[in-house]
Amino acid sequence: TTEVIQKLVQDNRKPVRECYEKARKQIPSLAGTMTIHFVLDPEGKVKEANLNVDKSEVKSPDVVNCAIDVIKKIKFPPSSRGMETTINYPYTFKP
């Protein structure tokens, strides 16, 4: 379910936050929302993940790629309906 997916992503927010903090050393004004679009296959594996450019203010490649790497490592449960699941997950960064 969406709730389970959301909880798993939230449980893995800390490494993404660390990437953001590291990127802020180069770009002190970096702040805003970054939305990651990802698709889970019926087994719960991340089939694709990328930045939802239209819904993102933070587009720093370091932060984006780091968030995608974190999401790809999460073990999601298989789909209860045996279908692909598409998610847009927003991260909000404030200094």
Side-chain angles (χ1 to χ4, degrees), residues 56-77:
S56 299
E57 294 141 15
V58 173
K59 297 175 182 167
S60 161
D62 292 343
V63 183
V64 171
N65 293 333
C66 173
I68 288 171
D69 288 345
V70 169
I71 287 170
K72 284 182 173 177
K73 289 178 187 152
I74 300 172
K75 300 276 185 267
F76 294 99

Side-chain angles (χ1 to χ4, degrees), residues 38-94:
F38 61 101
V39 179
L40 302 178
D41 70 13
E43 285 80 53
K45 291 189 182 78
V46 178
K47 192 171 125 174
E48 68 177 76
N50 49 49
L51 178 68
N52 183 327
V53 178
D54 297 337
K55 295 185 179 177
S56 299
E57 294 141 15
V58 173
K59 297 175 182 167
S60 161
D62 292 343
V63 183
V64 171
N65 293 333
C66 173
I68 288 171
D69 288 345
V70 169
I71 287 170
K72 284 182 173 177
K73 289 178 187 152
I74 300 172
K75 300 276 185 267
F76 294 99
S79 165
S80 56
R81 295 171 298 175
M83 296 168 59
E84 282 188 353
T85 308
T86 301
I87 296 101
N88 280 294
Y89 189 86
Y91 291 90
T92 301
F93 298 113
K94 294 178 187 134

